[in-house]
Amino acid sequence: WLPIDAKFPNEDYERLLEAQGRADPVQAELCAKALEARIRLEAKSIAEKYLEPPHTTDFAVMFLPTEGLYAEVLRRPGLMESLQRDHRVTLAGPTNLMAMLNALQMGFRTLALEKRSSEVWQVLGAVKTEFGKFGDVLDKVRNQTQTVLNTLDQAQTRSNVMNRALRQVDALPEAQAQALLPGSEP
């Protein structure tokens, strides 16, 4: 599972916008730090609630619903890197969420294909082992078949020798032959 949580720190962001609108740099900086602290707190909360590898990915996505809020958070020096490093949380805004999800989906598919590829190689390795055994069995069958053929050749040779020797003997009439060799068929 890929944990995604939407956060709406709109009050902190609106206070920042008001201070910037009043051209109050001191208050604007205080509000910016409060927004940053809130984002860090939300990232920590997401990590604690949702990250449970291997049941989930080892990272989560924090969705910020407005482009202005997303841009302000990105503008804070080192904040995004800190969230990723300390809490394994990646930020997404309205315009880049779909692109991020598509990229992750392609990565997950590639990972699944690599895993299946590994399984295929294992099956092929097992088949190769079995194929070697099959070759050994075929050799045995070939040797046994060759032995049978050799024995048949020897029997044919003996038959030819007997036929040559018997050519000089006169054949008996059928009735007499049956009387001498009971069980022979006409």
Side-chain angles (χ1 to χ4, degrees), residues 23-39:
D24 184 348
V26 174
Q27 186 63 28
E29 186 57 31
L30 289 173
C31 291
K33 286 184 179 186
L35 176 62
E36 184 175 326
R38 173 84 184 274
I39 293 294

Side-chain angles (χ1 to χ4, degrees), residues 140-160:
K140 286 181 183 177
V141 168
R142 184 178 48 79
N143 290 337
Q144 290 172 350
T145 303
Q146 190 61 49
T147 301
V148 167
L149 289 174
N150 291 343
T151 303
L152 286 173
D153 285 345
Q154 290 172 355
Q156 183 65 46
T157 301
R158 297 284 54 123
S159 174
N160 291 342

Side-chain angles (χ1 to χ4, degrees), residues 90-115:
T90 298
L91 297 175
T95 56
N96 73 336
L97 179 64
M98 188 57 73
M100 179 187 292
L101 292 177
N102 285 334
L104 288 171
Q105 182 181 36
M106 291 300 291
F108 291 147
R109 283 185 180 164
T110 300
L111 185 63
L113 286 174
E114 287 175 5
K115 181 179 178 190

